[in-house]
Amino acid sequence: MEVGRLPISASQRGKLISAGYTTLSSLSSLSPSDLALGAQTAWDMLHEDEMFPRITTSCLDLDNVLGGGINCKEVTEIGGVPGIGKTQLGIQLAVNVQIPVDYGGLGAKAIYIDTEGSFMVERVLQIAEACIEDMTECNGLLRKDFQAGQLKMHPNNILENIFYFRVCSYTEQIALTNYLDKFISEHKDVKVVIVDSVTFHFRQDFDDMALRTRLLSGIALKLMKLAKEHGLAVVLLNQVTTKYIEGSFQLTLALGDSWSHSCTNRVILYWNGNERYAYIDKSPSLRSASAPYSVTSKGIRNSASNCKRIRMM
Amino acid sequence: MAPLKYLEQEYPILDSNFRNFCATHGIFSEQQSTSERLKQGITQVLSIIDGQHQPWLNGMELLEDAQLNKHVLSTGCEGIDLLLQGGLRMGQLTELVGASSSGKTQVCLLATSNVAKKHMDGVVYLDTGNSFSPQRVIDFIRQNPDPAIDQAKHRILQKVMNRILCHSVFDIFTMFDVLHQLEVNLRSQMQKGDCQVRLLIVDSISSLVTPILGGGGSQGHALMTSAGFLLKKLAHEHNLVVLVTNHTVGGEGGISKPALGESWKSIPHVRLRLSHDQGSSIYNVSVLKHPSMASGKAARFTIYD
């Protein structure tokens, strides 16, 4: 039966037809929340959240403060001084998103947008091999009823599932952000987009600061939309700069005040003595806490120090 | 009861052409019974024209409207309620300004949970940064345990959560669409279930306006001010509390100031500035602008985890 014949008001009919529903059969499989064109009740959102698992960072302490890992449908900004391990964390997430569902992962693919040229394929291979080793170990320890060799993943498979883009200017970065929607519609199993680093091309040679603010807020909104519509996690890696606040120079994340509002969560990586720590700076639902982590040849792992308790702020 | 031609001196528009037109329709003087139907038609047209704008109200009617309809909604946070002499007022646009991580979204979520649970009214939440956290709303709902709620917990929680409607908007035109649709729904009184929308939150309006503000054109300013007017109109006509959040930018001498510039300053009725001492759960709120309170009044409040 045609939608045009349904006994509903003309404006509602028009909306259904313009959204593409022309026959009754196309409507029958939808739930009311789909038809509300973007609106959801909080109850539905709560249950939807339970369907989206989080991406582990391979460091238990860090996962704990993050509430299980990096959340899908949100934009997480990770910032820190050079050498703290931002790229390492980015690569670890690109590998961990591919962990099969049986092992508690998402079994999905990753997009890695490189603006600085710091993506080293050899390192990705190393981390991928370590990840597979860990999974086989887990296979051996816990799933004795499975046959050995059940895990058919090879490091090359992991490399195949990371889509790599290299951008060399801010216009390319904006163009790529606009193109991502189409790309992800064609590759529906991408569940994480990592941008390393989002600030690089906007820091040099920018005369018009007002233009920069507008472009950056535009990019932030597009990434938010991408995260929400496709149900994926967006991870933005950011650099730090010094700022003159209240009489002294302090380290803050780059790109200014207005950029700091363009992410859902923010994690700041810092040095504490010889240890690397991660601190939750901004989150709508997690409390502020910091956790130690370390960068090893296998990737990001738990800190090897004695005091492993999470410090609550 | 004068014939039309004697009215020409006072009303030059009633010239001979007009009188000829009236003559062809059988109208010769001001009051004529044969033109009853025409008169009714003209009265109808005039009332339609009058309906296009808000009715003229005098002071007494405004006071009555304020006393009957424009009540105060508690935010669920004692510190803010005390500062605002009761809470957020219906019919007013309240703005929360603050640096990143100063508690704006937390106050919005707290107000949402309070309105849905205690006042049992509907909430519409426009989220631009994927920051609406249903889990956090549940935490707030569970914070003040109500003996009535404990008994039929799950069902009541579902009812409360179903009163909160969340839209994700990522550009200003989508926000206009959503607000116009809300206006149509409120006007035709199509309420979802049994609850009436009482709280409208836009978190944050500055992320929608910043990409279009400036750059030589005035379209950004025009969109921003018309968004502000639409929100105030919704607040006044349908007795809603409208809450928006704004961020801060660097100003003169390194002191931060609210974003969106000078033209936005006069649009909200109430402007509150939030800040947060890092590492503690104590927040500061101060009044930047209020129609009936001096600016500069400040208070502290805590939001528990």
Side-chain angles (χ1 to χ4, degrees):
Chain A
M1 188 178 161
E2 293 290 325
V3 162
R5 300 263 202 91
L6 285 175
I8 50 178
S9 79
S11 61
Q12 286 171 333
R13 209 180 311 145
K15 281 192 189 152
L16 282 173
I17 292 178
S18 64
Y21 303 113
T22 46
T23 63
L24 209 58
S25 49
S26 57
L27 284 174
S28 58
S29 56
L30 295 170
S31 70
S33 55
D34 294 334
L35 283 177
L37 299 166
Q40 283 182 297
T41 64
W43 186 252
D44 294 333
M45 279 181 80
L46 184 69
H47 288 290
E48 228 183 57
D49 278 350
E50 292 164 9
M51 284 184 348
F52 284 88
R54 294 178 178 236
I55 307 174
T56 172
T57 57
S58 290
C59 167
L60 193 59
D61 293 332
L62 191 49
D63 280 348
N64 283 343
V65 295
L66 285 172
I70 302 284
N71 207 0
C72 285
K73 283 195 164 193
E74 287 181 3
V75 174
T76 308
E77 184 183 359
I78 301 179
V81 291
I84 194 85
K86 302 187 292 296
T87 306
Q88 303 302 310
L89 189 52
I91 296 176
Q92 185 72 61
L93 290 170
V95 168
N96 285 356
V97 75
Q98 300 180 39
I99 295 177
V101 181
D102 292 338
Y103 290 82
L106 281 84
K109 302 189 180 168
I111 288 181
Y112 197 99
I113 300 175
D114 189 3
T115 60
E116 297 174 339
S118 46
F119 187 80
M120 307 256 79
V121 186
E122 299 83 357
R123 180 65 174 143
V124 183
L125 195 58
Q126 217 181 9
I127 292 183
E129 282 167 350
C131 184
I132 292 181
E133 251 176 55
D134 284 349
M135 285 198 286
T136 337
E137 213 180 285
C138 165
N139 199 6
L141 287 173
L142 300 176
R143 293 158 187 259
K144 297 211 161 74
D145 49 337
F146 275 34
Q147 289 172 9
Q150 190 81 3
L151 183 62
K152 286 198 166 55
M153 281 184 87
H154 192 267
N156 287 348
N157 293 356
I158 295 191
L159 291 181
E160 265 172 15
N161 289 336
I162 303 181
F163 296 106
Y164 175 81
F165 292 90
R166 175 81 168 94
V167 289
C168 304
S169 71
Y170 78 89
T171 43
E172 275 184 47
Q173 194 172 340
I174 297 173
L176 182 57
T177 315
N178 290 337
Y179 172 62
L180 273 180
D181 190 37
K182 182 155 179 291
F183 185 85
I184 295 177
S185 313
E186 290 164 12
H187 297 89
K188 285 202 189 294
D189 41 4
V190 169
K191 283 289 173 224
V192 72
V193 175
I194 301 159
V195 185
D196 178 13
S197 64
V198 71
T199 57
F200 187 67
H201 292 300
F202 287 93
R203 295 188 71 189
Q204 55 236 58
D205 284 348
F206 236 99
D207 302 321
D208 189 354
M209 279 298 153
L211 176 65
R212 192 182 87 164
T213 312
R214 285 200 302 282
L215 291 175
L216 285 173
S217 14
I219 289 183
L221 281 178
K222 287 190 198 113
L223 291 171
M224 284 284 177
K225 188 173 182 184
L226 212 60
K228 181 78 180 187
E229 284 186 356
H230 299 277
L232 46 87
V234 177
V235 177
L236 306 176
L237 303 177
N238 199 358
Q239 298 162 342
V240 291
T241 180
T242 50
K243 206 167 170 190
Y244 190 69
I245 300 177
E246 292 163 17
S248 67
F249 284 103
Q250 288 180 21
L251 272 184
T252 55
L253 292 192
L255 292 181
D257 285 327
S258 43
W259 177 255
S260 58
H261 304 277
S262 312
C263 58
T264 312
N265 305 308
R266 189 179 311 119
V267 177
I268 296 190
L269 309 177
Y270 64 99
W271 285 104
N272 190 0
N274 276 337
E275 285 256 313
R276 291 180 162 88
Y277 274 82
Y279 170 66
I280 307 284
D281 187 48
K282 174 184 174 184
S283 165
S285 55
L286 301 165
R287 65 175 71 171
S288 288
S290 62
Y293 69 97
S294 66
V295 179
T296 66
S297 61
K298 292 181 166 194
I300 305 279
R301 291 290 185 272
N302 281 342
S303 163
S305 78
N306 291 333
C307 99
K308 274 198 175 186
R309 278 181 304 121
I310 299 169
R311 256 194 311 125
M312 293 297 195
M313 306 295 273
Chain B
M1 279 182 264
L4 288 171
K5 68 178 181 201
Y6 293 114
L7 291 173
E8 187 178 352
Q9 278 173 345
E10 233 181 278
Y11 305 102
I13 197 167
L14 306 180
D15 62 352
S16 53
N17 281 334
F18 183 79
R19 289 203 301 275
N20 285 339
F21 173 79
C22 291
T24 58
H25 289 85
I27 304 169
F28 295 107
S29 71
E30 250 185 83
Q31 279 191 340
Q32 187 136 350
S33 52
T34 55
S35 62
E36 204 49 51
R37 194 133 160 90
L38 195 58
K39 246 202 215 159
Q40 281 174 357
I42 293 176
T43 321
Q44 179 67 42
V45 170
L46 286 174
S47 69
I48 291 173
I49 294 174
D50 267 338
Q52 295 295 319
H53 64 80
Q54 284 289 305
W56 294 105
L57 294 174
N58 62 30
M60 280 311 292
E61 286 164 359
L62 277 174
L63 183 63
E64 224 176 73
D65 175 57
Q67 283 171 340
L68 281 175
N69 300 330
K70 305 283 195 288
H71 302 147
V72 152
L73 279 186
S74 155
T75 56
C77 174
E78 274 181 20
I80 302 183
D81 286 345
L82 272 175
L83 183 68
L84 293 177
Q85 295 163 348
L88 301 167
R89 187 167 286 276
M90 295 184 198
Q92 283 187 349
L93 174 59
T94 305
E95 177 191 1
L96 296 174
V97 177
S100 173
S101 198
S102 54
K104 310 185 286 293
T105 305
Q106 295 301 303
V107 171
C108 291
L109 293 174
L110 185 57
T112 305
S113 70
N114 205 49
V115 168
K117 176 181 149 197
K118 291 231 175 81
H119 302 279
M120 294 198 278
D121 284 324
V123 180
V124 175
Y125 197 107
L126 268 57
D127 185 14
T128 68
N130 295 340
S131 313
F132 180 76
S133 164
Q135 189 52 51
R136 193 74 176 119
V137 175
I138 287 190
D139 287 345
F140 284 133
I141 291 174
R142 289 208 176 120
Q143 247 172 31
N144 301 321
D146 214 342
I149 288 192
D150 285 342
Q151 281 166 16
K153 226 175 207 164
H154 191 261
R155 232 176 12 95
I156 293 195
L157 202 62
Q158 180 174 8
K159 264 179 112 177
V160 170
M161 294 292 270
N162 273 336
R163 291 185 197 128
I164 306 169
L165 208 61
C166 179
H167 292 255
S168 289
V169 290
F170 301 107
D171 63 87
I172 198 162
F173 302 104
T174 316
M175 182 183 77
F176 275 115
D177 279 344
V178 170
L179 290 178
H180 284 131
Q181 187 59 46
L182 179 64
E183 198 178 8
V184 166
N185 289 348
L186 287 171
R187 274 217 195 125
S188 63
Q189 288 167 338
M190 282 181 344
Q191 309 298 343
K192 280 210 154 75
D194 57 334
C195 71
Q196 184 129 6
V197 175
R198 274 280 163 256
L199 177 60
L200 172 61
I201 297 183
V202 183
D203 179 20
S204 65
I205 199 166
S206 50
S207 2
L208 295 178
V209 173
T210 321
I212 50 168
L213 203 57
S218 58
Q219 200 202 15
H221 272 100
L223 285 170
M224 178 179 79
T225 37
S226 50
F229 288 159
L230 182 56
L231 290 169
K232 290 205 285 191
K233 181 179 170 214
L234 280 173
H236 180 72
E237 284 184 12
H238 303 282
N239 303 325
L240 304 178
V241 172
V242 182
L243 189 58
V244 299
T245 60
N246 189 8
H247 64 266
T248 54
V249 289
E252 312 271 322
I255 306 172
S256 61
K257 59 176 184 178
L260 297 184
E262 296 292 310
S263 347
W264 175 258
K265 265 184 171 177
S266 52
I267 294 179
H269 294 111
V270 178
R271 302 185 89 198
L272 302 173
R273 179 135 192 182
L274 292 177
S275 65
H276 175 209
D277 304 330
Q278 209 192 45
S280 80
S281 55
I282 299 185
Y283 296 80
N284 303 310
V285 57
S286 66
V287 173
L288 288 178
K289 174 186 173 192
H290 195 281
S292 55
M293 206 191 302
S295 62
K297 267 190 81 174
R300 307 181 87 149
F301 62 96
T302 322
I303 292 186
Y304 298 102
D305 287 322

